[in-house]
């Protein structure tokens, strides 16, 4: 079994990878997740959470609990948006050095603070019931080049277990960045979705591989 994300991707031949991803974005019969990046895009603001962002998450088979949505969009919107504004919208996980990774995604980073706010609203872990999968999808909607989506199917394919997905994806880019970008470019061209981040391309590929293995 693959032990790293890079190994998991490399274990899928390139032609097979395209065959896995293409049906997801088939114009005639797309998966609902194909619209994750597109819903509300005309009114999107990179530094503000919107109702469209929270609805887009539902295309990936999770729901934002009402109390969390009310806080994110209303009662605590300034807090959430102020944290979001401090995370550069053009920052990509693949471009970070080790030192930059620790600065921007480490234990004292704004990214982690936003993650904790979405997950727990401070110390009260049960108030909103926003799990790591939902939190990752909310953040990936706003920072698609920086935050990987967490999913049980992808976790199984990559053998993630309890390991940090941010660290694992950063390591994959560190070890095989040029290869991953070139391969993602070919997939983007095939499915005619140049807007997709490299993280999202391989999220779909690994998810489809995992679902295929279930049958």
């Amino acid at each position: 079994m693959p032990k790293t994300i890079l190994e998991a991707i490399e274990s899928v031949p390139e032609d097979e990878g395209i065959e896995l991803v293409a049906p997801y974005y088939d114009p005639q019969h797309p998966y609902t997740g194909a619209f994750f990046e597109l819903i509300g895009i005309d009114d999107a603001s990179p530094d503000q959470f919107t109702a469209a962002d929270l609805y887009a998450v539902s295309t990936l088979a999770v729901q934002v609990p009402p109390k969390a949505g009310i806080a994110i969009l209303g009662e605590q919107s300034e807090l959430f948006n102020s944290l979001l504004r401090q995370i550069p919208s053009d920052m990509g996980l693949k471009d970070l050095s080790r030192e930059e990774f620790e600065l921007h995604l480490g234990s004292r980073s704004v990214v982690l603070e936003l993650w904790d706010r979405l997950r727990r609203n401070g110390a009260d872990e049960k108030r909103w019931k926003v799990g790591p999968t939902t939190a990752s999808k909310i953040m990936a909607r706003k920072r698609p080049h920086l935050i990987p989506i967490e999913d049980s199917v992808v976790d199984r394919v990559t053998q993630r277990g309890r390991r940090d997905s941010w660290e694992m994806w950063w390591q994959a880019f560190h070890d095989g960045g040029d290869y991953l970008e070139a391969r993602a470019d070919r997939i983007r061209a095939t499915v005619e979705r140049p807007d997709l981040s490299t993280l999202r391309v391989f999220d779909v590929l690994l998810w489809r591989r995992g679902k295929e293995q279930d049958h």
Side-chain angles (χ1 to χ4, degrees):
M1 294 291 290
K3 296 181 180 179
T4 69
I5 287 175
L6 183 60
E7 288 176 353
I9 294 169
E10 288 177 327
S11 72
V12 182
E14 292 207 18
D15 288 346
E16 182 181 342
I18 290 174
E19 291 174 359
L20 286 171
V21 176
Y24 195 92
Y25 295 100
D26 180 352
Q28 299 302 315
H29 304 286
Y31 284 63
T32 59
F35 298 92
F36 174 65
E37 294 84 6
L38 301 179
I39 289 175
I41 195 65
D42 292 339
D43 300 318
S45 168
D47 296 325
Q48 181 177 353
F49 289 106
T50 68
D53 294 323
L54 303 192
Y55 181 76
V57 169
S58 70
T59 69
L60 301 179
V62 297
Q63 303 291 330
V64 178
K67 285 186 178 181
I70 290 168
I72 294 166
L73 300 177
E75 297 171 352
Q76 298 183 40
S77 61
E78 182 51 41
L79 170 62
F80 282 102
N81 292 334
S82 68
L83 291 172
L84 185 60
R85 286 194 294 270
Q86 295 177 60
I87 305 169
S89 60
D90 60 350
M91 184 186 298
L93 187 60
K94 68 182 181 64
D95 301 318
L96 302 180
S97 66
R98 165 54 70 181
E99 292 74 18
E100 290 169 333
F101 178 90
E102 292 299 331
L103 175 64
H104 294 295
L105 288 95
S107 60
R108 298 183 179 181
S109 66
V110 175
V111 171
L112 189 59
E113 181 178 354
L114 178 57
W115 171 268
D116 286 338
R117 291 284 183 179
L118 288 170
R119 286 278 286 115
R120 295 187 286 271
N121 187 29
D124 188 349
E125 295 189 5
K126 297 183 179 179
R127 179 179 174 185
W128 292 344
K129 297 182 180 179
V130 173
T133 295
T134 301
S136 73
K137 291 173 180 179
I138 295 172
M139 292 180 69
R141 165 77 179 189
K142 305 310 295 186
R143 296 294 182 265
H145 300 284
L146 183 66
I147 304 299
I149 289 173
E150 298 195 9
D151 179 90
S152 60
V153 175
V154 176
D155 286 351
R156 186 176 71 250
V157 173
T158 59
Q159 298 291 293
R160 185 173 78 93
R162 295 181 178 275
R163 291 177 292 173
D164 183 353
S165 67
W166 298 354
E167 173 81 22
M168 288 182 69
W169 278 102
W170 178 85
Q171 191 65 52
F173 284 123
H174 178 76
D175 293 340
D178 291 341
Y179 161 76
L180 292 176
E181 281 302 306
R183 187 163 176 181
D185 283 342
R186 287 189 285 274
I187 294 174
R188 280 187 282 257
T190 299
V191 301
E192 298 182 346
R193 286 293 302 271
D195 59 297
L196 297 173
S197 71
T198 298
L199 281 171
R200 180 67 172 136
V201 167
F202 290 117
D203 169 61
V204 173
L205 185 152
L206 294 171
W207 183 82
R208 288 275 292 142
R209 165 49 72 90
K211 298 300 282 187
E212 182 184 69
Q213 291 173 344
D214 290 340
H215 297 293

